[in-house]
Amino acid sequence: MRPRPILAALPALLAIAGCHRERSPTATRERSNVLLVTIDTLRADHLGCYGHAEAATPTLDALAARGVRFATAIAHVPLTGPSHASILTGRTPLGHGFRDNGGYVIPADVKTAAEDFHEAGYRTAAFVSGFPLDRRFGFDRGFEVYDDHLPKGNDPRRTPYVERLADATTDAALRWLQTLAAAGVPASFFLWVHYYDPHAPYEPPPALAERFRAAPYDGEIAFVDSQLARLLRGLEEKGALARTLVLVTADHGEALGEHGEDTHGLFVYDATLKVPWIMAGPGLPTGRVAATVARGIDVLPTLLDYAGLAPGPGAEGRSLRPAAEGREMSDAPAYAESLYPEREFGWAPLHAWRTERFKLIAAPRPELYDLAADAEEKVNRVSELPERAAELRRPLERARSRTAPSAAATVDPETAERLGALGYVGGGHAQPVSAGARRDPKDGVRLLPRINRGMSAARADPPLAIRELSAVLAEDPGLLAARRTRAVAYAASGRHDLAVADLRRLEKDGQLTAEDAIVLGDNLRFSDRLAEAADVLQRAARDNPKFPQPWLSLAEVHIKERKNGEAAADYRRVLALVPDHIEALRGLGDLALLEGRLDEATARYGKILEVDPGDAGAMTKAGVLRMRTGRGDDAIALFRRAVEREPGNGEALLYLAGALAAGGRSAEALPFFERALAAGPRSSMALNGLALTRLALGDRTGAAAAFRESLKLDPRQPDVARTLKEITANRTPGP
Ligand SMILES: [Zn+2]
């Protein structure tokens, strides 16, 4: 049979698969796929293949063994957003202008990896796991699929919608690969998967938590390694692994106590800049360790080189293919910076120039390290080697003055306005308005333990957080991060007026970020200052047109004002920004359920479960809808699944208990009532359910106790009071 009919059918197939671009099927079939994996907060020296004996990283070690590992790879910024911007654009922060987490958008005229691959006819998809990579910061450009769904989570100590665990991210990426395979079109893909787990707090899943009790950070890394194994296995099962170039790197490391820093962001030492770089795939040598120093900006040129594509005009990095193939390459210095100390703490920003041998850090008190003799950067040689310091300072200053204007010009108007409000002039180029002497982060670092204690306790132990943060604010009132975190702690302890005061102070100083505005709006809502809340949130929505959160918070204000129609309109605005935004779908589902529009509610929760089949909240509500239509057994099955997924989900536990009790299965219901109450909240409804179930099982004493607690919570329950009286009256009198 001749291949002609198949070729004739190709345009139709391509159209079905959503490829509207003209492309040569032969060329795409022969090209390798590209899989870029970035593992957040991953120090190179905590992997087995980089010499960490206690590591459990067999997948990464095997990848290095069948490919190439760069012994030294350097990130440009110890922060997720800016560092990923460098990886994805091939430019340093000076070139792409994205200088800190939040408040920046990758400028429209800075080309990204996804755009390069998309234009070349690749299918493009990204699955990210941390808030700093939300699509509103511009990381989605060029991706046909950009999956940044972050679950709400049910851990009160953690900020919701911040992190997705590696197993859920892997599931989503595997589903996309499945869709691609099912489409049957032989197009190459560029897939970016980002894992967030090693980021603090270090809480590996139970099995690994036990094994890594003394080193939970390593446990998180081990978990990611196991999920990467699943991802690679998925590729292998589809026959795609052999023609996929895999590159694994990280956005930054983790200080783990070095230089007085526990996590990352403040300093530009190698503890947080040294990352792994491992790649393997078709055409790559096996088991090679390359000595050339790799940089974040080299990732994109290297991937493009292996794909046979030319790098764009603005790329500052270079392809490391020669080094990977064993050829000698000259040393290319790395620019590094952190504006975090300035933007979060009001201290001096840091800029560095790192050659293979030396690193100069420009700070109020400059530092020079001889990395060959002093890899841990403990001995500052700046006064001992002044010529060497000057030799590094010159290119550093040249780089900063040369590239800054273009970065400023490329920041979009929205970002420029935000930066103006933050006290920066000229867009992406940081220039503090107050020119006074700024604290050297080396001197400020002694405040860091208290700041960190305060920050990690903000939700879990608000009184402790308020104590610690108030103490550091007394010493350094310009500590923006301490003030905004204290507001969160005040909010968590129900002192909404004090939270509002801290946030209004930030607003007065021109330091209220979009995220702060949400916290301010929420606290005003909790204080029943609804008009003020709406005002703040409407302004935040207007100033940040790509940010859905103000609309979500505004919807809650409107619900409290009993303006359900307006709340629904808010949720629809979110869907206009992010078509399958889970919380907007949930909001619309809840409103529909409340107003008895069961078909719409069913559709909304169904859509959530399509996006995230593990969403326990949507499963629970889908169960409630089954109950409403008399399908009790289906409902119980859904509630059970929700409870399996989230054993501490009080709502799911209570519905399961209630559904079992309603079906006369009291003995089965009892433990779920108890668990629902333990998970909280201890509502009178849950207590009454428990009491009636105990009564049905003949436990009159237990029933009376639960009814009593219920009446304490809500004394206006005449039926409960009467039942309690009857139980106690019928009791056998005591001695
Ligand atoms: Zn990061």
Side-chain angles (χ1 to χ4, degrees):
M1 202 168 129
R2 307 200 142 240
R4 192 167 287 275
I6 297 173
L7 282 177
L10 254 173
L13 278 175
L14 287 171
I16 291 166
C19 324
H20 308 295
R21 187 173 301 278
E22 295 267 329
R23 66 183 64 155
S24 152
T26 346
T28 44
R29 199 177 300 129
E30 283 166 2
R31 281 195 310 226
S32 314
N33 305 309
V34 176
L35 168 62
L36 170 65
V37 177
T38 56
I39 303 175
D40 216 285
T41 321
L42 179 58
R43 275 178 80 118
D45 60 6
H46 275 242
L47 298 182
C49 55
Y50 280 88
H52 190 48
E54 294 78 33
T57 52
T59 314
L60 288 161
D61 301 346
L63 200 67
R66 76 169 172 91
V68 179
R69 172 172 77 79
F70 282 82
T72 307
I74 298 299
H76 301 278
V77 197
L79 296 165
T80 308
S83 184
H84 275 95
S86 288
I87 291 169
L88 295 169
T89 67
R91 303 185 189 204
T92 67
L94 298 171
H96 59 59
F98 193 114
R99 312 291 290 271
D100 192 10
N101 285 338
Y104 290 87
V105 178
I106 298 178
D109 60 352
V110 174
K111 216 165 171 204
T112 66
E115 288 174 311
D116 285 323
F117 282 104
H118 185 69
E119 279 170 20
Y122 283 70
R123 309 301 306 269
T124 53
F127 298 85
V128 302
S129 310
F131 173 70
L133 301 179
D134 188 280
R135 73 184 68 195
R136 76 184 173 99
F137 304 122
F139 290 101
D140 61 329
R141 241 180 35 227
F143 285 108
E144 293 161 51
V145 171
Y146 193 81
D147 180 339
D148 54 358
H149 293 298
L150 305 177
K152 185 174 182 187
N154 58 356
D155 184 343
R157 295 163 308 150
R158 291 196 183 192
T159 316
Y161 315 118
V162 157
E163 176 179 20
R164 168 163 64 177
L165 300 185
D167 48 355
T169 304
T170 304
D171 288 345
L174 288 172
R175 277 198 299 274
W176 180 77
L177 286 169
Q178 186 58 44
T179 322
L180 205 61
V185 182
S188 306
F189 62 75
F190 169 63
L191 170 61
W192 169 34
V193 177
H194 162 255
Y195 292 119
Y196 201 60
D197 304 64
H199 197 282
Y202 316 128
E203 291 170 348
L208 288 163
E210 181 65 28
R211 177 169 164 199
F212 288 95
R213 198 194 303 255
Y217 172 66
D218 288 344
E220 295 270 35
I221 296 169
F223 181 57
V224 170
D225 186 273
S226 72
Q227 294 305 313
L228 179 62
R230 280 183 61 219
L231 183 65
L232 297 180
R233 205 153 53 235
L235 281 170
E236 195 166 21
E237 283 162 9
K238 287 170 184 61
L241 188 60
R243 49 183 202 90
T244 301
L245 171 69
V246 183
L247 194 158
V248 183
T249 186
D251 56 349
H252 52 78
E254 187 80 320
L256 301 175
E258 287 185 45
H259 308 280
E261 184 179 31
D262 287 330
T263 58
H264 58 270
L266 189 64
F267 290 131
V268 289
Y269 298 114
D270 275 9
T272 55
L273 293 184
K274 236 170 147 174
V275 292
W277 175 314
I278 301 166
M279 58 182 181
L284 267 93
T286 300
R288 171 161 292 140
V289 180
T292 303
V293 176
R295 303 166 300 173
I297 53 173
D298 299 329
V299 170
L300 178 56
T302 304
L303 293 178
L304 291 175
D305 189 359
Y306 274 102
L309 303 172
E316 298 169 53
R318 58 180 183 169
S319 169
L320 295 181
R321 188 171 182 167
E325 288 169 358
R327 274 172 282 156
E328 189 89 11
M329 287 183 86
S330 62
D331 178 44
Y335 166 79
E337 68 168 31
S338 183
L339 305 197
Y340 181 80
E342 178 183 45
R343 298 195 9 125
E344 290 297 323
F345 299 158
W347 302 342
L350 297 175
H351 304 271
W353 196 255
R354 187 194 191 282
T355 65
E356 191 178 0
R357 171 84 190 267
F358 290 100
K359 187 196 282 181
L360 176 82
I361 301 174
R365 284 183 289 113
E367 295 158 72
L368 175 73
Y369 296 102
D370 179 351
L371 301 168
D374 174 25
E376 291 177 14
E377 298 163 278
K378 283 186 167 159
V379 186
N380 183 0
R381 300 181 193 270
V382 77
S383 44
E384 186 188 323
L385 302 170
E387 279 112 46
R388 180 71 68 187
E391 205 175 281
L392 278 91
R393 189 173 289 114
R394 277 191 294 274
L396 173 61
E397 278 167 9
R398 227 174 13 248
R400 289 186 62 200
S401 63
R402 192 188 59 229
T403 38
S406 79
T410 54
V411 172
D412 70 20
E414 177 200 337
T415 309
E417 194 184 312
R418 279 285 301 281
L419 294 174
L422 287 170
Y424 296 105
V425 290
H429 188 47
Q431 271 175 9
V433 170
S434 67
R438 301 213 145 199
R439 195 191 283 267
D440 192 312
K442 292 191 287 294
D443 300 326
V445 72
R446 66 188 168 76
L447 296 173
L448 209 55
R450 303 200 81 160
I451 298 173
N452 284 341
R453 257 200 311 280
M455 284 171 116
S456 53
R459 286 162 204 279
D461 187 354
L464 171 75
I466 292 164
R467 217 164 41 240
E468 296 286 10
L469 296 170
S470 299
V472 294
L473 279 167
E475 191 167 334
D476 186 343
L479 255 166
L480 307 170
R483 194 170 298 281
R484 54 174 59 101
T485 310
R486 191 173 67 175
V488 171
Y490 278 139
S493 57
R495 294 155 79 181
H496 302 296
D497 49 334
L498 292 173
V500 168
D502 265 344
L503 293 160
R504 289 290 194 199
R505 163 83 186 265
L506 286 170
E507 190 181 33
K508 197 167 141 262
D509 296 345
Q511 301 288 358
L512 194 79
T513 66
E515 285 77 16
D516 295 337
I518 307 304
V519 182
L520 176 56
D522 289 346
N523 278 283
L524 288 166
R525 169 165 57 88
F526 287 129
S527 320
D528 281 320
R529 292 153 72 176
L530 300 182
E532 266 181 88
D535 184 57
V536 165
L537 294 167
Q538 263 150 0
R539 206 156 2 111
R542 201 178 52 235
D543 293 348
N544 304 275
K546 289 181 185 163
F547 189 24
Q549 192 63 45
W551 295 111
L552 292 170
S553 287
L554 203 52
E556 299 201 44
V557 174
H558 284 138
I559 287 168
K560 204 164 179 185
E561 291 176 327
R562 300 180 190 282
K563 294 176 182 164
N564 288 2
E566 285 185 41
D570 299 331
Y571 288 131
R572 280 195 292 269
R573 278 181 187 268
V574 175
L575 293 185
L577 289 172
V578 186
D580 43 10
H581 195 290
I582 286 181
E583 292 321 308
L585 290 167
R586 198 190 312 282
L588 286 168
D590 289 352
L591 285 173
L593 185 59
L594 192 75
E595 290 163 4
R597 285 176 280 117
L598 301 191
D599 286 348
E600 189 197 334
T602 304
R604 300 290 189 195
Y605 298 128
K607 180 74 194 167
I608 296 177
L609 291 171
E610 250 174 57
V611 178
D612 179 5
D615 190 294
M619 269 181 233
T620 306
K621 290 290 165 61
V624 173
L625 283 159
R626 301 287 198 288
M627 291 283 282
R628 288 269 195 107
T629 49
R631 291 148 69 191
D633 285 343
D634 286 1
I636 287 172
L638 279 160
F639 296 144
R640 274 197 206 281
R641 262 177 54 208
V643 166
E644 258 163 43
R645 188 79 195 186
E646 276 181 23
N649 186 319
E651 189 184 38
L653 287 162
L654 186 56
Y655 275 117
L656 176 55
L660 288 167
R665 294 151 75 174
S666 303
E668 272 178 87
L670 185 67
F672 291 110
F673 274 119
E674 281 161 356
R675 280 173 59 187
L677 282 157
R682 292 186 80 81
S683 66
S684 53
M685 188 168 74
L687 286 160
N688 295 344
L690 175 67
L692 290 169
T693 305
R694 283 181 177 163
L695 204 55
L697 294 167
D699 174 11
R700 303 170 74 87
T701 319
F707 276 136
R708 260 186 225 110
E709 196 185 334
S710 168
L711 281 169
K712 212 184 266 173
L713 282 178
D714 179 6
R716 294 159 307 169
Q717 300 183 87
D719 293 351
V720 171
R722 197 172 46 250
T723 315
L724 177 61
K725 212 177 232 169
E726 284 166 16
I727 301 173
T728 36
N730 288 350
R731 263 183 71 184
T732 323

